[in-house]
Amino acid sequence: MPNATLPPLNAVPSPPPASSFAPDLPALSPRDRLDRPLRDLRLSVIDACNFRCPYCMPADRVPDDHGLDSASRLSFDQIERVVRGFARVGVRKLRLTGGEPLLRKRLPELIARLAAIDGIEDLALTTNGSLLAAQARALREAGLHRLTVSVDALTPSVFSALSGGRGRIEDVLRGLDAATEAGFAGIKLNCVIQRGVNEDECLPLAEFARAGGHTLRFIEYMDVGTCNGWRAERVVPSAELRDRIHARWPLQPLDPNYRGEVARRYRFEDGGGEIGFVGSISTPFCGDCHRARVSADGRLYTCLFAAEGADLRPWLAQGDEAFAQSLAEAWGARADRYSELRAAAREPSPGARKRVEMFLVGG
Ligand code: SAM
Ligand code: SF4
Ligand code: SF4
């Protein structure tokens, strides 16, 4: 047993100063109404998915033929213009997501175009990993910098249930091997633990991540969207997971890499790498939230829990200069802080309110 008790998750060691938000902000650098800059963009390339994870896209609520027709999705040309516009207003990190992004046809071609955009310093992708074995090399060669693979269980039957009966852990493990062979280093593993569902998976997953040189991130089960039947009792708080891991492999807190980093990071004292905890429910981080999201049909969401998104197509039609201006104005009008309000009200969730679905904005 480790002898030291870890400090609370919200006791951040040495937070970097506000100026570390953006030392090199471009001329058009909006701050929202809570003085937060725009630095990250999550862009969904597709709203369809080959899984039906019950916490995201439950099969009984989201039918198989759900999905936009291809004409409603932004084209590669439009996506490239959207990302150029966001880069002009300060975005430096871009993450492609979905639905399942590897279902988007000719994705490596898109990645090559986005990797070449001035200002985009970090290009990452989040995937369920089921199709990764066949695509890892092409993604790497196209210029993708980083990969995150979602893995909620290693036990085959639990994994299968958590994918809505559609996924096999063996495929994901083959995908991870292929990605490592293709040259991706420091692959992140996203894991959502739910009480009474996959709690027993947390230590085996940590062991697996340590052995493979991957960085595990536990994400609290969130009340995102309206179709997943979220219940507060199902949330396993980050502090509890951290303490379980700490009891097995002692941890030491790490300083944040930058202001607004959503995961609380720890290093394994024995040199087994690092691990992180994203406590959106128990320790909200809205104060430093500098992330925008764009859905596959080109709508801008300034919060993961927003009810509506602004249609970017009319803004794009006005030309690149006007597009960047419109983005800056939209960001300037932003005052979102849903998770903080939820925590302050000490309510599970204001269930009556409309909220965008996770599979439309990609996490
Ligand atoms: N399909 C890809 C995948 O699963 O990695 C990308 C999209 S998925 C919406 C992105 C992330 O959102 C995944 O890591 C998934 O575990 C997470 N997620 C989905 N629903 C969630 C929920 N209700 N609470 C917390 N995380 C959730
Ligand atoms: Fe699909 Fe990812 Fe949602 Fe699971 S979490 S249903 S893999 S989009
Ligand atoms: Fe950002 Fe909205 Fe999440 Fe708060 S609730 S951290 S504002 S996305």
Side-chain angles (χ1 to χ4, degrees), residues 42 44 46 48-51 53-57 95-102 125-129 148-152 189-194 217 219-225 228 230 280-281 304 357-363:
R42 247 164 220 233
S44 168
I46 192 164
C49 187
N50 55 343
F51 283 12
C53 308
Y55 59 58
C56 175
M57 228 176 163
R95 179 172 293 275
L96 303 182
T97 176
E100 175 44 45
L102 300 191
L125 176 135
T126 304
T127 171
N128 65 27
T148 298
V149 179
S150 303
V151 193
D152 294 330
L189 304 181
N190 271 2
C191 174
V192 179
I193 295 287
Q194 292 175 68
R217 293 266 186 267
I219 301 170
E220 281 176 352
Y221 174 34
M222 289 185 281
D223 53 335
V224 66
N228 64 5
W230 184 87
S280 162
I281 302 281
L304 183 53
E357 296 300 334
M358 186 68 132
F359 57 87
L360 295 179
V361 287

Side-chain angles (χ1 to χ4, degrees), residues 14-136:
S14 339
S19 60
S20 75
F21 254 143
D24 57 344
L25 277 180
L28 210 54
S29 52
R31 296 244 166 194
D32 72 8
R33 281 159 55 198
L34 302 177
D35 201 31
R36 299 167 296 188
L38 170 55
R39 298 293 278 165
D40 286 13
L41 175 63
R42 247 164 220 233
L43 189 134
S44 168
V45 294
I46 192 164
D47 60 324
C49 187
N50 55 343
F51 283 12
R52 283 292 180 276
C53 308
Y55 59 58
C56 175
M57 228 176 163
D60 57 342
R61 302 289 302 274
V62 190
D64 279 3
D65 60 1
H66 139 90
L68 298 166
D69 52 41
S70 44
S72 310
R73 285 186 195 128
L74 292 183
S75 66
F76 285 4
D77 286 346
Q78 287 171 319
I79 291 176
E80 190 179 340
R81 286 186 58 209
V82 165
V83 173
R84 277 189 202 290
F86 274 99
R88 287 197 57 191
V89 296
V91 162
R92 295 291 169 264
K93 295 174 77 170
L94 172 64
R95 179 172 293 275
L96 303 182
T97 176
E100 175 44 45
L102 300 191
L103 290 174
R104 178 86 192 229
K105 291 200 173 62
R106 301 186 287 114
L107 185 67
E109 188 183 317
L110 176 65
I111 286 173
R113 289 170 69 166
L114 301 180
I117 292 177
D118 263 358
I120 298 302
E121 294 162 2
D122 183 32
L123 177 55
L125 176 135
T126 304
T127 171
N128 65 27
S130 60
L131 306 169
L132 189 56
Q135 298 190 36

Side-chain angles (χ1 to χ4, degrees), residues 228-249:
N228 64 5
W230 184 87
R231 284 183 288 140
E233 314 84 80
R234 279 268 171 97
V235 178
V236 182
S238 287
E240 182 181 325
L241 288 171
R242 183 209 50 189
D243 291 348
R244 273 198 221 177
I245 304 285
H246 182 55
R248 174 71 182 78
W249 297 282

